[in-house]
Amino acid sequence: MKKITGIVIARNEEALIGDCLDSLAFCDELLLVDNDSSDKTVEIAEAKGAKVIRVTGSGFARIRNEARRHISSEWILYVDADERVSKDLEREIRGILSKEAVRQNAFRLPRVNFYLGNNRWPKVEHLERLFKTSCLKEWYGELHESPSIVGEIGDLKHPVFHYTHRDLSSMVKKTLVWSDVEARLRLEAGHPPMYWWRFPRVMMGTFFDWYILQGGWKAGTVGIIESLYQSFSIFITYAKLWELQKKKK
């Protein structure tokens, strides 16, 4: 059986980190990358047997790359604090690790999202999270980080569960933080001036994507709340971009 390390990046996740690490108990090693927590995240992780390293500052790609430097196992599995590895996924990963030779150097995992409790979102994402350590070159991208991988990428069948947007207050706080980064990145990329007509266009486009294309209408009340919220979130990002453009002038 090939060795695997489960990596979790967390900041002030004392309410979630315990269950997350429990779902990774099948890994040979657990690594918590603590990003300036001020609560009991580290203490809980250490009690679960995780090795803890501390990284300050922002940038998920940079933090994931720092974690990569501390790994000696042949395989790595990245999981966020608000995610849980399903038992079926655990068995599927074990099956891969038990093979004498694995053709693929990385695998995409289906991610099933739950909003505002246990309300399952219709659209399923597919993200690269399981890697042969030697074939993961780096992570790149300041906000929506992506891996650079050498070799073939496969697809797993069973999901990781993502319990995101657990309440409206945390949703708003997250938007206020990350909209600053998104607005700055758009400014640096030379985004066209934000005239009034761009706001309804991006908001309606976002709502159409979430409610129609992603099937939010199937999720009932949560579907309309999440779709409208995503429209609000993109509005905040572009309003901040408008502010930055005004200051730059």
Side-chain angles (χ1 to χ4, degrees):
M1 180 77 73
K2 298 174 179 64
K3 301 293 185 182
I4 183 171
T5 298
I7 299 177
V8 183
I9 298 170
R11 181 179 184 182
N12 293 332
E13 297 285 7
E14 63 180 7
L16 300 173
I17 195 62
D19 288 343
C20 176
L21 293 174
D22 284 344
S23 77
L24 291 170
F26 68 95
C27 293
D28 299 286
E29 183 180 35
L30 299 176
L31 177 65
L32 175 77
V33 185
D34 181 66
N35 186 215
D36 297 323
S37 291
S38 58
D39 63 1
K40 296 181 180 179
T41 297
V42 171
E43 292 92 322
I44 294 171
E46 289 177 337
K48 294 288 184 180
K51 175 183 176 181
V52 176
I53 63 171
R54 290 174 169 82
V55 178
T56 60
S58 60
F60 281 123
R62 182 183 66 83
I63 296 172
R64 288 187 188 275
N65 287 331
E66 178 63 24
R68 164 70 178 77
R69 293 178 54 247
H70 294 263
I71 301 303
S72 58
S73 60
E74 189 174 351
W75 286 82
I76 313 173
L77 175 62
Y78 284 89
V79 176
D80 293 339
D82 57 1
E83 294 174 342
R84 307 289 179 267
V85 174
S86 66
K87 287 298 182 182
D88 287 335
L89 177 57
E90 174 186 335
R91 284 188 284 270
E92 191 173 9
I93 293 174
R94 283 179 176 273
I96 291 170
L97 300 180
S98 65
K99 294 179 180 179
E100 184 174 341
V102 181
R103 185 178 76 256
Q104 298 87 349
N105 291 335
F107 289 89
R108 281 180 288 264
L109 281 58
R111 184 168 77 167
V112 175
N113 295 300
F114 294 88
Y115 292 105
L116 298 173
N118 291 315
N119 302 286
R120 179 169 177 162
W121 194 251
K123 181 180 178 180
V124 176
E125 300 176 283
H126 293 84
L127 306 172
E128 294 93 348
R129 292 293 190 82
L130 178 64
F131 307 95
K132 186 177 291 185
T133 306
S134 60
C135 297
L136 175 59
K137 293 175 61 179
E138 65 172 351
W139 291 85
Y140 61 93
E142 184 172 350
L143 187 59
H144 303 292
E145 72 280 8
S146 300
S148 177
I149 304 159
V150 177
E152 183 179 346
I153 302 174
D155 290 282
L156 299 184
K157 296 179 180 179
H158 297 102
V160 61
F161 298 129
H162 184 211
Y163 297 93
T164 185
H165 287 186
R166 293 174 297 281
D167 58 76
L168 291 170
S169 295
S170 63
M171 289 163 65
V172 172
K173 289 178 181 178
K174 184 177 180 180
T175 292
L176 292 176
V177 171
W178 290 112
S179 58
D180 286 336
V181 179
E182 291 180 344
R184 176 175 56 79
L185 291 175
R186 284 173 169 80
L187 180 71
E188 293 173 352
H191 192 284
M194 282 304 298
Y195 297 115
W196 69 267
W197 50 268
R198 292 190 186 276
F199 289 98
R201 188 176 73 176
V202 297
M203 292 173 70
M204 288 188 291
T206 299
F207 181 83
F208 183 80
D209 176 31
W210 282 77
Y211 196 68
I212 303 300
L213 298 182
Q214 295 190 32
W217 58 273
K218 300 176 184 177
T221 302
V222 169
I224 192 70
I225 290 175
E226 185 64 29
S227 300
L228 286 171
Y229 182 81
Q230 292 296 332
S231 299
F232 161 77
S233 181
I234 201 69
F235 163 74
I236 294 297
T237 294
Y238 278 95
K240 288 186 176 182
L241 173 61
W242 174 82
E243 279 190 326
L244 292 175
Q245 289 176 339
K246 296 281 285 185
K247 290 178 182 178
K248 189 175 182 180
K249 289 182 179 180

